[in-house]
Amino acid sequence: MSARDGAPITPLKDLITLIITTSPTPSAPFTDLISGVLDSFKTHCPNLLFCRVIVVFDTYDRIGECMRLKKGQVTHELAQALELYKVNVKELILKEWRSEVEHGASPAFFHDNALAEFGSPKMAENNVALSILQTADKRITFVEPVARLGFGLAVRSALRVTETPYVWVQQHDWPLVRDIPLDSMLEVMQASENMQNSSDSDSAPPVKYICLPAIRMLYYATSPHVQSFPTLRALTAQLKRDFFPASRPDVAIPLTPLFFWHDKPHIASTAHYLARIFPSRLTMARGGFIEDHVGQRARAQMKEGNWAKWACWLYYPKEGREICLKHRNGRKWRGVEAELQTKEMFLGMGTKRDITSPES
């Protein structure tokens, strides 16, 4: 991060941790999904690869004859592939995060155990054991549960071992398609934090969470999600603005208030995340998604005017005309090679039909 007026410089690696959640996918054991995400970071947000990274390997509940990934069921073949997938992802992360001087030898990992608890504390089985591997410098952390967590508990498990004030939460199937000014965004969030702690807090809206826009979020500020509700229209008119980081006053960070807490890639305050999304073990069920549960409750409260409690924003380049993310459905994506083979098969079938058709 840049300094201004003699303020001390905080390195980016000490400000934000990248949390990657990955779960059973048909593309296993290949790492195409995560490789695509990391390649998009190199192109659109290279500084993120110098930050700490936590990878949470979610798993399945049962083995069956067919895949029902949303229900936690995998086939026997996919269960076997997932073991190799975890090995391959770890090798990929180590390759990307180790510096040139470290390439001679594999780093040492320290092992720890933890629990992801949920539901009533009166039921002893309401927890999942976690195995945590972490390098001595804490740049790389791997979290492996013995049973399925779901996205919500996977994020909370990572937040509990996070030591930076901010996190970038990244699902394995959402690569970037636009440059992200991460340094400036964090500076805006820090300035907001400092303002909230000062006597001028009434004049500064809090910035605790910034979601990156996907295709369904185009023109969000003028969409029915906002305009159909008088309170949300008024909040948008009041709050929507460009923020200017002090170190680069010529760089505008356009934000519009977001009336939801999305799971798709976002930047958030670590403390805010834990306080608002995970105030107790009762908040999130095993297998649950944040936006399905807390997200809906947050939106209901915002409709009543209580937006500041959640302080959610949407990054809004070019007045909502640009997206930053592309979705590759991790439950269906089978990998680059498999997709090419399928395409070639259908092209071949089309050629065969042309040759044997009556019109030929």
Side-chain angles (χ1 to χ4, degrees), residues 152-166:
L153 293 183
V155 171
R156 191 189 65 181
S157 299
L159 289 171
R160 286 177 167 179
V161 293
T162 297
E163 296 185 357
T164 55
Y166 300 98

PDB file of all heavy atoms in Angstrom, residues 152-166:
ATOM      1  N   GLY A 152     -20.470 -21.965   3.489  1.00  0.00           N
ATOM      2  CA  GLY A 152     -20.497 -21.089   4.655  1.00  0.00           C
ATOM      3  C   GLY A 152     -19.485 -21.477   5.709  1.00  0.00           C
ATOM      4  O   GLY A 152     -18.677 -20.650   6.161  1.00  0.00           O
ATOM      5  N   LEU A 153     -19.508 -22.734   6.127  1.00  0.00           N
ATOM      6  CA  LEU A 153     -18.561 -23.185   7.151  1.00  0.00           C
ATOM      7  C   LEU A 153     -17.130 -23.232   6.620  1.00  0.00           C
ATOM      8  O   LEU A 153     -16.179 -23.089   7.388  1.00  0.00           O
ATOM      9  CB  LEU A 153     -18.973 -24.544   7.695  1.00  0.00           C
ATOM     10  CG  LEU A 153     -20.273 -24.583   8.510  1.00  0.00           C
ATOM     11  CD1 LEU A 153     -20.521 -25.986   9.048  1.00  0.00           C
ATOM     12  CD2 LEU A 153     -20.248 -23.575   9.643  1.00  0.00           C
ATOM     13  N   ALA A 154     -16.972 -23.446   5.306  1.00  0.00           N
ATOM     14  CA  ALA A 154     -15.627 -23.416   4.721  1.00  0.00           C
ATOM     15  C   ALA A 154     -15.015 -22.026   4.864  1.00  0.00           C
ATOM     16  O   ALA A 154     -13.853 -21.866   5.255  1.00  0.00           O
ATOM     17  CB  ALA A 154     -15.680 -23.825   3.247  1.00  0.00           C
ATOM     18  N   VAL A 155     -15.810 -20.987   4.576  1.00  0.00           N
ATOM     19  CA  VAL A 155     -15.322 -19.612   4.724  1.00  0.00           C
ATOM     20  C   VAL A 155     -15.028 -19.305   6.190  1.00  0.00           C
ATOM     21  O   VAL A 155     -13.979 -18.735   6.520  1.00  0.00           O
ATOM     22  CB  VAL A 155     -16.345 -18.608   4.153  1.00  0.00           C
ATOM     23  CG1 VAL A 155     -15.952 -17.180   4.509  1.00  0.00           C
ATOM     24  CG2 VAL A 155     -16.452 -18.767   2.647  1.00  0.00           C
ATOM     25  N   ARG A 156     -15.932 -19.705   7.086  1.00  0.00           N
ATOM     26  CA  ARG A 156     -15.690 -19.408   8.500  1.00  0.00           C
ATOM     27  C   ARG A 156     -14.427 -20.097   9.001  1.00  0.00           C
ATOM     28  O   ARG A 156     -13.644 -19.522   9.780  1.00  0.00           O
ATOM     29  CB  ARG A 156     -16.881 -19.840   9.358  1.00  0.00           C
ATOM     30  CG  ARG A 156     -16.803 -19.305  10.790  1.00  0.00           C
ATOM     31  CD  ARG A 156     -17.851 -19.916  11.684  1.00  0.00           C
ATOM     32  NE  ARG A 156     -17.641 -21.344  11.864  1.00  0.00           N
ATOM     33  CZ  ARG A 156     -18.442 -22.126  12.585  1.00  0.00           C
ATOM     34  NH1 ARG A 156     -19.513 -21.625  13.166  1.00  0.00           N
ATOM     35  NH2 ARG A 156     -18.187 -23.411  12.702  1.00  0.00           N
ATOM     36  N   SER A 157     -14.185 -21.338   8.570  1.00  0.00           N
ATOM     37  CA  SER A 157     -12.984 -22.061   8.989  1.00  0.00           C
ATOM     38  C   SER A 157     -11.731 -21.331   8.549  1.00  0.00           C
ATOM     39  O   SER A 157     -10.729 -21.283   9.286  1.00  0.00           O
ATOM     40  CB  SER A 157     -13.006 -23.481   8.421  1.00  0.00           C
ATOM     41  OG  SER A 157     -14.122 -24.204   8.905  1.00  0.00           O
ATOM     42  N   ALA A 158     -11.767 -20.739   7.345  1.00  0.00           N
ATOM     43  CA  ALA A 158     -10.615 -19.976   6.859  1.00  0.00           C
ATOM     44  C   ALA A 158     -10.468 -18.661   7.610  1.00  0.00           C
ATOM     45  O   ALA A 158      -9.360 -18.242   7.962  1.00  0.00           O
ATOM     46  CB  ALA A 158     -10.757 -19.724   5.365  1.00  0.00           C
ATOM     47  N   LEU A 159     -11.585 -17.991   7.890  1.00  0.00           N
ATOM     48  CA  LEU A 159     -11.528 -16.715   8.612  1.00  0.00           C
ATOM     49  C   LEU A 159     -10.896 -16.881   9.991  1.00  0.00           C
ATOM     50  O   LEU A 159     -10.217 -15.982  10.486  1.00  0.00           O
ATOM     51  CB  LEU A 159     -12.934 -16.135   8.764  1.00  0.00           C
ATOM     52  CG  LEU A 159     -13.602 -15.599   7.501  1.00  0.00           C
ATOM     53  CD1 LEU A 159     -15.062 -15.265   7.778  1.00  0.00           C
ATOM     54  CD2 LEU A 159     -12.872 -14.383   6.955  1.00  0.00           C
ATOM     55  N   ARG A 160     -11.126 -18.024  10.601  1.00  0.00           N
ATOM     56  CA  ARG A 160     -10.610 -18.242  11.959  1.00  0.00           C
ATOM     57  C   ARG A 160      -9.093 -18.387  12.001  1.00  0.00           C
ATOM     58  O   ARG A 160      -8.490 -18.233  13.064  1.00  0.00           O
ATOM     59  CB  ARG A 160     -11.280 -19.474  12.566  1.00  0.00           C
ATOM     60  CG  ARG A 160     -12.724 -19.227  12.964  1.00  0.00           C
ATOM     61  CD  ARG A 160     -13.377 -20.473  13.495  1.00  0.00           C
ATOM     62  NE  ARG A 160     -14.640 -20.187  14.165  1.00  0.00           N
ATOM     63  CZ  ARG A 160     -15.418 -21.111  14.695  1.00  0.00           C
ATOM     64  NH1 ARG A 160     -15.067 -22.389  14.638  1.00  0.00           N
ATOM     65  NH2 ARG A 160     -16.556 -20.777  15.281  1.00  0.00           N
ATOM     66  N   VAL A 161      -8.470 -18.686  10.867  1.00  0.00           N
ATOM     67  CA  VAL A 161      -7.001 -18.755  10.851  1.00  0.00           C
ATOM     68  C   VAL A 161      -6.402 -17.572  10.086  1.00  0.00           C
ATOM     69  O   VAL A 161      -5.200 -17.519   9.850  1.00  0.00           O
ATOM     70  CB  VAL A 161      -6.495 -20.093  10.258  1.00  0.00           C
ATOM     71  CG1 VAL A 161      -6.860 -21.243  11.166  1.00  0.00           C
ATOM     72  CG2 VAL A 161      -7.035 -20.330   8.857  1.00  0.00           C
ATOM     73  N   THR A 162      -7.261 -16.629   9.706  1.00  0.00           N
ATOM     74  CA  THR A 162      -6.796 -15.422   9.017  1.00  0.00           C
ATOM     75  C   THR A 162      -6.244 -14.423  10.029  1.00  0.00           C
ATOM     76  O   THR A 162      -6.844 -14.184  11.067  1.00  0.00           O
ATOM     77  CB  THR A 162      -7.948 -14.773   8.234  1.00  0.00           C
ATOM     78  OG1 THR A 162      -8.400 -15.674   7.221  1.00  0.00           O
ATOM     79  CG2 THR A 162      -7.515 -13.468   7.593  1.00  0.00           C
ATOM     80  N   GLU A 163      -5.106 -13.818   9.707  1.00  0.00           N
ATOM     81  CA  GLU A 163      -4.478 -12.846  10.595  1.00  0.00           C
ATOM     82  C   GLU A 163      -4.409 -11.452   9.994  1.00  0.00           C
ATOM     83  O   GLU A 163      -3.837 -10.550  10.611  1.00  0.00           O
ATOM     84  CB  GLU A 163      -3.080 -13.329  10.986  1.00  0.00           C
ATOM     85  CG  GLU A 163      -3.082 -14.629  11.789  1.00  0.00           C
ATOM     86  CD  GLU A 163      -1.706 -15.034  12.272  1.00  0.00           C
ATOM     87  OE1 GLU A 163      -0.721 -14.327  11.925  1.00  0.00           O
ATOM     88  OE2 GLU A 163      -1.596 -16.044  12.983  1.00  0.00           O
ATOM     89  N   THR A 164      -4.954 -11.267   8.801  1.00  0.00           N
ATOM     90  CA  THR A 164      -4.958  -9.951   8.166  1.00  0.00           C
ATOM     91  C   THR A 164      -6.322  -9.293   8.360  1.00  0.00           C
ATOM     92  O   THR A 164      -7.330  -9.969   8.553  1.00  0.00           O
ATOM     93  CB  THR A 164      -4.663 -10.077   6.658  1.00  0.00           C
ATOM     94  OG1 THR A 164      -5.615 -10.986   6.069  1.00  0.00           O
ATOM     95  CG2 THR A 164      -3.252 -10.587   6.427  1.00  0.00           C
ATOM     96  N   PRO A 165      -6.383  -7.959   8.299  1.00  0.00           N
ATOM     97  CA  PRO A 165      -7.663  -7.273   8.545  1.00  0.00           C
ATOM     98  C   PRO A 165      -8.688  -7.430   7.431  1.00  0.00           C
ATOM     99  O   PRO A 165      -9.872  -7.169   7.644  1.00  0.00           O
ATOM    100  CB  PRO A 165      -7.259  -5.809   8.716  1.00  0.00           C
ATOM    101  CG  PRO A 165      -5.943  -5.680   8.025  1.00  0.00           C
ATOM    102  CD  PRO A 165      -5.257  -7.004   8.197  1.00  0.00           C
ATOM    103  N   TYR A 166      -8.238  -7.864   6.237  1.00  0.00           N
ATOM    104  CA  TYR A 166      -9.160  -8.019   5.115  1.00  0.00           C
ATOM    105  C   TYR A 166      -8.949  -9.370   4.447  1.00  0.00           C
ATOM    106  O   TYR A 166      -7.873  -9.969   4.527  1.00  0.00           O
ATOM    107  CB  TYR A 166      -8.965  -6.889   4.093  1.00  0.00           C
ATOM    108  CG  TYR A 166      -9.210  -5.524   4.671  1.00  0.00           C
ATOM    109  CD1 TYR A 166      -8.145  -4.727   5.106  1.00  0.00           C
ATOM    110  CD2 TYR A 166     -10.505  -5.029   4.826  1.00  0.00           C
ATOM    111  CE1 TYR A 166      -8.366  -3.482   5.668  1.00  0.00           C
ATOM    112  CE2 TYR A 166     -10.740  -3.783   5.387  1.00  0.00           C
ATOM    113  CZ  TYR A 166      -9.666  -3.014   5.809  1.00  0.00           C
ATOM    114  OH  TYR A 166      -9.889  -1.790   6.380  1.00  0.00           O
TER     115      TYR A 166
END
